[in-house]
Amino acid sequence: MKKGWIIALLFLLSGFSIFLGVKDLALQGLLAGEQQQWLVLATTRIPRTVSLILAGATMSICGLIMQHLTQNKFVSPTTAGTMDSARLGILIVMLFLPNASTPMRTLAAFVFAFLGTMVFLALSRLLPAKNPVFLPLLGVMFGNIVGSVATFFAYQFELIQNMSSWLQGNFSLVTKGNYELLYLTIPLFIVIYLFAYLFTIVGLGEDVAVNLGINYRLAQTFGIALVAAASGLVLIMVGTVPFLGVIVPNIVSLVFGDHVKQTLWITAVSGSLFLMVCDMISRIVIAPYEVPVSLTVGVLGSVIFIYLLVRRRQA
């Protein structure tokens, strides 16, 4: 029953998202075939809603996979240096290849996100114990160092405003023709689903995985590559969305358990729902203007994140 309600809620909020905006969009006008109404629907509203669904699902699944790979509930692409490393890759492309295409920037984001996450994993192995709070703290510190390097070079070459505005999580500029790369996340979902049992076993620890005949390091590297590719796509298309990959998998885990294959699509839908709600709040709070969705997600996500930390400490 809970799963059915989640799907129904996704369709309901998608409808609200489509009809919410500065330009009034009426069902009567669409049924009457008004050209301007259909133009707004096809050019901005549907692309924005689809990108919200795909981006929310992608970041939530990336968080879920990283939490299993690191056996830590508070690790995600935004707390492991993955997104900061991707930003550094994009900045380097902007410096040396200013006219590079979007696929080229996406490739650079993937390569740097992958390398940055592998460095984070190498640093995590140096810890004496897998403290549930210290590991994401290490990731945040590592991400800040990488982000500081990117900011330094951005200041040096007067790209700080360009980089900050472009990489800030915002769906207001999503229109037909500049979001379609997000559809590449769908094949990544399928691959992750096919290897869900593998990631579940890896999440049980290296000893268990090795005893079951699994190459632990190879499986971990494969999972990180999938996460880096998906995170790079989201960063290029809509910017950084904080906390989403941490809180949604944790909430789903509390309700539905930790089996990746059984909770994968629930995590994806829940991430889409949360991001869609935050986006609608961003459009309403100072209407007819709107605040970046990353700000709304950051405020709500930080409150939930603190609650999860306190709850784990009390448990």
Side-chain angles (χ1 to χ4, degrees):
M1 182 61 69
K2 293 179 181 178
K3 298 178 181 180
W5 278 108
I6 291 175
I7 297 296
L9 188 59
L10 178 64
F11 280 104
L12 180 63
L13 290 182
S14 297
F16 281 128
S17 177
I18 288 175
F19 286 93
L20 179 65
V22 177
K23 174 64 178 177
D24 291 332
L25 200 64
L27 185 60
Q28 295 91 337
L30 294 173
L31 294 176
E34 294 184 14
Q35 186 175 1
Q36 189 178 30
Q37 295 271 304
W38 280 100
L39 180 63
V40 172
L41 178 68
T43 304
T44 61
R45 300 295 174 81
I46 290 180
R48 180 167 187 158
T49 302
V50 171
S51 63
L52 284 166
I53 293 173
L54 292 177
T58 300
M59 294 310 298
S60 298
I61 290 176
C62 287
L64 175 66
I65 298 303
M66 287 201 69
Q67 288 167 19
H68 277 267
L69 294 177
T70 59
Q71 300 170 50
N72 190 294
K73 288 293 185 181
F74 300 118
V75 174
S76 74
T78 53
T79 60
T82 304
M83 301 302 282
D84 295 286
S85 301
R87 290 176 60 188
L88 178 61
I90 295 172
L91 175 64
I92 290 176
V93 171
M94 292 172 66
L95 289 175
F96 296 101
L97 298 171
N99 297 321
S101 61
T102 300
M104 177 63 70
R105 294 182 179 184
T106 304
L107 178 62
F110 160 70
V111 172
F112 275 79
F114 176 75
L115 294 177
T117 309
M118 294 303 294
V119 172
F120 165 74
L121 288 178
L123 292 174
S124 68
R125 296 189 186 105
L126 300 178
L127 299 179
K130 292 188 176 180
N131 189 300
V133 177
F134 189 75
L135 189 59
L137 180 61
L138 172 67
V140 171
M141 293 170 62
F142 171 68
N144 286 337
I145 293 173
V146 176
S148 298
V149 173
T151 302
F152 172 77
F153 285 107
Y155 270 117
Q156 290 294 314
F157 293 94
E158 299 182 354
L159 290 173
I160 187 65
Q161 185 175 3
N162 188 355
M163 187 180 71
S164 299
S165 61
W166 188 50
L167 298 179
Q168 187 179 45
N170 192 355
F171 290 83
S172 61
L173 301 179
V174 173
T175 57
K176 182 180 179 181
N178 69 354
Y179 80 103
E180 283 77 7
L181 270 180
L182 280 175
Y183 285 115
L184 292 178
T185 59
I186 296 177
L188 293 176
F189 294 162
I190 297 174
V191 174
I192 291 174
Y193 181 80
L194 293 176
F195 289 91
Y197 281 119
L198 175 66
F199 297 134
T200 302
I201 295 173
V202 171
L204 297 176
E206 184 173 1
D207 292 337
V208 175
V210 172
N211 288 334
L212 293 175
I214 294 175
N215 189 323
Y216 180 80
R217 295 295 173 86
L218 181 60
Q220 198 175 49
T221 303
F222 175 64
I224 292 300
L226 293 176
V227 170
S231 300
L233 285 170
V234 173
L235 183 65
I236 287 291
M237 292 292 100
V238 298
T240 305
V241 184
F243 291 111
L244 191 62
V246 177
I247 61 176
V248 172
N250 273 278
I251 294 174
V252 172
S253 175
L254 290 174
V255 180
F256 297 101
D258 289 322
H259 197 291
V260 176
K261 197 161 192 174
Q262 294 178 357
T263 61
L264 187 65
W265 73 270
I266 304 174
T267 303
V269 175
S270 299
S272 300
L273 288 173
F274 183 78
L275 187 58
M276 208 175 298
V277 169
C278 291
D279 182 69
M280 288 190 285
I281 294 174
S282 299
R283 284 188 267 181
I284 293 173
V285 65
I286 56 171
Y289 306 102
E290 64 177 85
V291 298
V293 70
S294 59
L295 176 62
T296 307
V297 174
V299 172
L300 296 178
S302 60
V303 173
I304 299 174
F305 184 66
I306 293 173
Y307 166 75
L308 292 172
L309 284 174
V310 174
R311 184 182 185 278
R312 187 178 182 90
R313 183 179 180 87
Q314 291 176 347

